[in-house]
Amino acid sequence: MTRIAVLGAGKIGEALLAGLLAAGWPADELVFTERHEGRAAELTARHGVAAVDVAAAAAHGDIIVVAVKPQDIRPVLAELAPVLRTGTLVVSLCAGLPTSLFEKALPAGTAVVRVMPNTPMLVGEAMSAISPGTHATDDQLGTVEKLLASVGRVVRVPESQQDAVTALSGSGPAYFFFLVEAMIDAGILLGLPRTVAADLIVQSAFGAARMMQESGDHPVILREAVTSPAGTTIAAVRELEKHGVRAALIAAIEAARDRSVELGRLAEQL
């Protein structure tokens, strides 16, 4: 089995480790780096995966997964570059950072694959988009695809589309959580206990997502099937349109895309 080293065990780094373990990956084939000792000890206790330094991670990993915050990338690459073994595949999970940034900082010819996953990786339901760098082969892209398929679904996109992917699906779970939070609050306002409101909305969200996935129907068709003439749903939809919910969501996703682009530019200037 391919040995994997994860540099940076924040939310998405831990999500990958947890997802791989849940998919049957042996703990001794995985290692991670984490600069905070308390956090490292916590993750090792929780997942049984060893915490190591960057040099040990580079020696261990056939694939090096970089999952640090964009603003922390320069020191990590500076530490990785002199110890990276020839032929090691580098996979970036860093929002906004182009493969060219890694290729310039790491030894010439290093194969880099850019990935935008999301946190449902924790439960094996991630949506990940992958793009090859200049030196990544189709076989290496396929390796990353198989790796991520163990923790969710994977799609290949041109790297030019990665900022849009970051805004839409990378940040996407937060939008759904925000909407669910608001709907639970509405249930409480209408007199329901919080636990009952949460159960109603979470199951409705789960069922609606499954209907969209399995039916293949456009969301408009599915929504119209719930929207009876002069009924309760059309009254609610009218209010959503009146308050500009659709426009607000589009604007929010555009803002996330712009921030992803900005993060890449800032990292290249460091």
Side-chain angles (χ1 to χ4, degrees):
M1 186 164 288
T2 303
R3 296 182 300 176
I4 299 169
V6 179
L7 307 189
K11 289 184 176 64
I12 204 67
E14 183 183 6
L16 176 61
L17 289 172
L20 290 173
L21 289 167
W25 221 271
D28 59 2
E29 297 291 331
L30 306 171
V31 297
F32 71 93
T33 68
E34 171 55 51
R35 61 184 178 178
H36 300 292
E37 291 183 7
R39 168 74 174 168
E42 176 190 330
L43 293 183
T44 296
R46 182 153 61 232
H47 300 296
V49 177
V52 299
D53 59 20
V54 171
H60 173 92
D62 302 309
I63 297 177
I64 302 292
V65 179
V66 184
V68 300
K69 294 178 181 178
Q71 57 267 35
D72 296 332
I73 191 60
R74 286 296 182 181
V76 171
L77 292 181
E79 193 174 357
L80 177 62
V83 295
L84 188 68
R85 291 181 292 120
T86 301
T88 302
L89 175 60
V90 175
V91 177
S92 167
L93 271 59
C94 305
L97 303 190
T99 56
S100 59
L101 185 150
F102 291 81
E103 291 168 349
K104 291 174 185 176
L106 297 175
T110 297
V112 181
V113 173
R114 179 175 174 179
V115 178
M116 188 66 248
N118 56 22
T119 54
M121 187 179 284
L122 277 166
V123 293
E125 294 292 348
M127 184 68 247
S128 300
I130 64 175
S131 306
T134 305
H135 308 294
T137 66
D138 194 63
D139 284 345
Q140 289 172 320
L141 196 62
T143 296
V144 176
E145 197 167 37
K146 289 177 183 177
L147 172 70
L148 294 170
S150 67
V151 291
R153 296 184 62 195
V154 187
V155 62
R156 298 187 185 191
V157 300
E159 188 170 7
S160 61
Q161 295 178 359
Q162 279 285 5
D163 293 312
V165 169
T166 299
L168 196 63
S169 69
S171 299
Y175 312 148
F176 289 108
F177 298 147
F178 184 88
L179 289 171
V180 167
E181 178 188 2
M183 293 172 76
I184 291 172
D185 286 346
I188 295 169
L189 179 66
L190 298 176
L192 294 172
R194 178 176 291 275
T195 54
V196 173
D199 283 345
L200 289 169
I201 296 307
V202 171
Q203 181 59 34
S204 296
F206 178 81
R210 188 167 179 180
M211 284 179 69
M212 285 188 287
Q213 187 177 64
E214 295 186 1
S215 72
D217 290 336
H218 193 282
V220 169
I221 294 173
L222 295 173
R223 177 178 60 77
E224 287 180 345
V226 188
T227 310
S228 304
T232 59
T233 305
I234 191 61
V237 169
R238 182 183 63 179
E239 291 299 314
L240 291 172
E241 295 290 10
K242 184 190 299 183
H243 290 280
V245 172
R246 185 191 305 269
L249 279 171
I250 292 171
I253 292 168
E254 285 183 321
R257 186 274 317 276
D258 293 345
R259 179 56 176 163
S260 179
V261 172
E262 183 182 25
L263 287 172
R265 288 175 180 164
L266 289 172
E268 291 186 316
Q269 291 170 8
L270 292 175

